[in-house]
Amino acid sequence: MIEETGWPEGLAVGATRTGRRCNRYQESVAFYRDVVGLPLVHSSGTGPDGFGCAIFGLPGTPATYELVQALEPVPVDRHEELVLYFPGEAARDVVARRITEAGYQPAEQYRYWDLNDAVTFLDPDGRELVLAPWVFGEQTPPMRKRSGRPAGTGG
């Protein structure tokens, strides 16, 4: 069990961004913006370093997800997941339905996600987008609810 000890004193971070280089940049931007529905909070064409970038709010700007145009092919590991946690199955299903209606099919996923009622899709680069029906750290994952174990007692 991991205990929450609070944020380290003197580490006054005001926001976070996770970035990922994309082989299929334009398709990936369209996927996350138009299909998934993430708000695009910033984009640039070719910048001073020779590549474009798109920054999505998750859902606002304190946490962002950046796609960076790769200038040369980059290896892709499909298990480099972006996990979006939703407050229940109905909220998860709105996004899953939108993705399916755009022609994407759920992908094979880790057993952990199966046991926790998540749905996984592959983005245009082949990386996983996991839609989970509980909010991490705030709600008990479905498999723990079914087993009767409290949150934080292992997988």
Side-chain angles (χ1 to χ4, degrees), residues 11-120:
L11 191 58
V13 174
T16 63
R17 177 184 306 161
T18 298
R20 178 173 287 159
R21 293 189 304 156
C22 293
N23 294 312
R24 300 175 70 182
Y25 175 72
Q26 295 297 337
E27 293 160 295
S28 294
V29 171
F31 174 78
Y32 286 104
R33 180 191 61 217
D34 303 333
V35 177
V36 178
L38 294 180
L40 182 63
V41 296
H42 173 79
S43 67
S44 67
T46 303
D49 294 310
F51 52 80
C53 74
I55 300 172
F56 298 91
L58 296 175
T61 55
T64 57
Y65 179 60
E66 179 179 17
L67 299 179
V68 177
Q69 184 178 22
L71 298 178
E72 68 282 333
V74 294
V76 172
D77 178 346
R78 69 171 271 182
H79 297 295
E80 294 173 3
E81 303 165 328
L82 171 61
V83 181
L84 301 179
Y85 293 94
F86 294 91
E89 292 180 8
R92 176 209 58 204
D93 290 348
V94 168
V95 177
R97 188 170 24 261
R98 191 166 53 231
I99 296 170
T100 302
E101 288 172 355
Y104 295 86
Q105 295 302 312
E108 184 177 331
Q109 59 188 5
Y110 283 120
R111 187 165 185 267
Y112 174 84
W113 295 123
D114 282 331
L115 292 171
N116 281 296
D117 304 332
V119 179
T120 298

